[in-house]
C-alpha cells in the first residue's frame, strides 16, 4: 500500500490480503461450500473499489515476488484466526494467489477500478526509486527489528522461527508495509506479549505507513499493562 492519501478510508482497519486471510474463521464453511464463495461474500456485491485495489496489489506483489512457495504459505497462514480456518495451500501457493485474483479483479473492475490498477503496482523491493516507496523502504530496518521481538505464548499454524524468517524476507525483498501487516497478524496468532514501548512503536510505524487508527489497536489486548503500585 503506497498511496495512503488516496485510500485513507480503506485503511482505518486492517485491509488487503491480511484482512482477507483473517476472515476465514473456523465456521466459514457453514455458510458456503467453497473458499472462493467465502471470498465473494466477504468482499460484498458493491462499494468503492479502493479496498479491492489494495487487495489486488497485495496479491500481485506476493505472486510476483521472489519468495518461495513455503514462504508464501507461512505468510498466508500467519493470518489464521486463533482457531484456524484459512484454506491449506501447501504446494499450491502461487496457484492460490491466482485463484484469489480471478475473483477479486473482476469484482474491482465491475466497481469501476481501472485495468491498470488491477494489473500494475509500484515496485517496493531494493532499488525502487518512487519517493513514497523510498520512504517505506526507509522503515524496513525497524520492521525487521520488531519481527525479531515476536514472541510466543500460544501455538501457531507454523513454527515461530520459520514464520519470523518469512516475515523478514517479505520486509526486505517484497514490501515492508505488507510485512508489517503480516507481523501484526502473527502477533495475534502466537499471542505474542507486547510491552507498552513496543506497542507505541507499532503505532508510530503504522501511522508512518499511512494506516488508520485501528490497524494496530486490534492487538492492543496483547499489551502487558504495568501494574499499579499498592
Amino acid at each position: 500500500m503506497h498511496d495512503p492519501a488516496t485510500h485513507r478510508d480503506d485503511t482505518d482497519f486492517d485491509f488487503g490480503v491480511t484482512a482477507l486471510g483473517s476472515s476465514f474463521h473456523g465456521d466459514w464453511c457453514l455458510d458456503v461450500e467453497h473458499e472462493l464463495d467465502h471470498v465473494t461474500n466477504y468482499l460484498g456485491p458493491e462499494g468503492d473499489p479502493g479496498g479491492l485495489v489494495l487487495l489486488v496489489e497485495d496479491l500481485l506483489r506476493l505472486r510476483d515476488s521472489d519468495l518461495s512457495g513455503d514462504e508464501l504459505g507461512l505468510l498466508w497462514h500467519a493470518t489464521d484466526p486463533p482457531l484456524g480456518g484459512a484454506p491449506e495451500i501447501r504446494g499450491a501457493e502461487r496457484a492460490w494467489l491466482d485463484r484469489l485474483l480471478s475473483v477479486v479483479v473482476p469484482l474491482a473492475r465491475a466497481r469501476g477500478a481501472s485495468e491498470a490498477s488491477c494489473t500494475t503496482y509500484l515496485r517496493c523491493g531494493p532499488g525502487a526509486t518512487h519517493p513514497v516507496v523510498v520512504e517505506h523502504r526507509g522503515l524496513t530496518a525497524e520492521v525487521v527489528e520488531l519481527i525479531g521481538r515476536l514472541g510466543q505464548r500460544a501455538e501457531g499454524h507454523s513454527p515461530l522461527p520459520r514464520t519470523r524468517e518469512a516475515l523478514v524476507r517479505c520486509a526486505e525483498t517484497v514490501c515492508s508495509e505488507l510485512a508489517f501487516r503480516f507481523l501484526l497478524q502473527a502477533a495475534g496468532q502466537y499471542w505474542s506479549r507486547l510491552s507498552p514501548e513496543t506497542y507505541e512503536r507499532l503505532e508510530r510505524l503504522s501511522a508512518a505507513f499511512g494506516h488508520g487508527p485501528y490497524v494496530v489497536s486490534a492487538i492492543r489486548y496483547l499489551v502487558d499493562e504495568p501494574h499499579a503500585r499498592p
Side-chain angles (χ1 to χ4, degrees), residues 1-4 8 15 135-137 139-140 143 175-178 180-181 204-211:
M1 190 277 297
H2 293 295
D3 194 359
R8 176 68 64 181
F15 58 93
E135 183 178 350
H136 281 195
R137 292 295 303 169
L139 302 172
T140 301
V143 173
C175 175
S176 57
E177 186 276 327
L178 179 53
F180 179 80
R181 281 186 279 127
R204 290 195 299 271
L205 199 51
S206 182
F209 281 128
H211 298 163

Side-chain angles (χ1 to χ4, degrees), residues 102-177:
S102 73
V103 172
V104 181
V105 169
L107 286 175
R109 296 283 282 133
R111 296 187 195 180
S114 68
E115 180 178 358
S117 69
C118 293
T119 55
T120 61
Y121 54 91
L122 288 175
R123 300 289 174 174
C124 188
T129 58
H130 189 281
V132 178
V133 175
V134 170
E135 183 178 350
H136 281 195
R137 292 295 303 169
L139 302 172
T140 301
E142 187 168 7
V143 173
V144 170
E145 182 187 346
L146 289 168
I147 291 169
R149 294 190 178 198
L150 190 64
Q152 183 170 3
R153 290 186 289 177
E155 290 296 321
H157 180 277
S158 307
L160 177 58
R162 293 183 61 216
T163 298
R164 278 205 207 100
E165 291 172 2
L167 289 168
V168 169
R169 280 268 293 153
C170 183
E172 292 181 340
T173 69
V174 183
C175 175
S176 57
E177 186 276 327

Side-chain angles (χ1 to χ4, degrees), residues 31-228:
D31 299 318
V32 295
E33 294 185 4
H34 197 276
E35 55 263 28
L36 294 184
D37 292 331
H38 166 76
V39 173
T40 301
N41 287 353
Y42 168 74
L43 297 176
E46 57 187 23
D48 185 271
L52 295 180
V53 170
L54 292 173
L55 174 55
V56 169
E57 179 181 314
D58 282 353
L59 296 172
L60 290 174
R61 200 179 292 283
L62 290 169
R63 186 197 66 183
D64 298 344
S65 73
D66 291 332
L67 296 178
S68 68
D70 284 346
E71 289 169 331
L72 291 172
L74 288 164
L75 294 174
W76 169 253
H77 284 293
T79 69
D80 255 1
L83 298 179
E88 179 59 61
I89 62 172
R90 183 177 292 114
E93 295 85 2
R94 280 187 166 79
W96 170 243
L97 297 175
D98 277 327
R99 291 174 66 202
L100 290 175
L101 285 165
S102 73
V103 172
V104 181
V105 169
L107 286 175
R109 296 283 282 133
R111 296 187 195 180
S114 68
E115 180 178 358
S117 69
C118 293
T119 55
T120 61
Y121 54 91
L122 288 175
R123 300 289 174 174
C124 188
T129 58
H130 189 281
V132 178
V133 175
V134 170
E135 183 178 350
H136 281 195
R137 292 295 303 169
L139 302 172
T140 301
E142 187 168 7
V143 173
V144 170
E145 182 187 346
L146 289 168
I147 291 169
R149 294 190 178 198
L150 190 64
Q152 183 170 3
R153 290 186 289 177
E155 290 296 321
H157 180 277
S158 307
L160 177 58
R162 293 183 61 216
T163 298
R164 278 205 207 100
E165 291 172 2
L167 289 168
V168 169
R169 280 268 293 153
C170 183
E172 292 181 340
T173 69
V174 183
C175 175
S176 57
E177 186 276 327
L178 179 53
F180 179 80
R181 281 186 279 127
F182 277 121
L183 166 62
L184 297 179
Q185 291 285 345
Q189 181 180 138
Y190 292 106
W191 207 263
S192 183
R193 179 178 284 110
L194 302 178
S195 68
E197 180 267 337
T198 296
Y199 183 79
E200 289 176 3
R201 288 183 64 187
L202 291 171
E203 284 188 311
R204 290 195 299 271
L205 199 51
S206 182
F209 281 128
H211 298 163
Y214 308 114
V215 173
V216 172
S217 67
I219 60 168
R220 186 175 179 81
Y221 66 92
L222 297 173
V223 176
D224 276 343
E225 299 291 353
H227 297 292

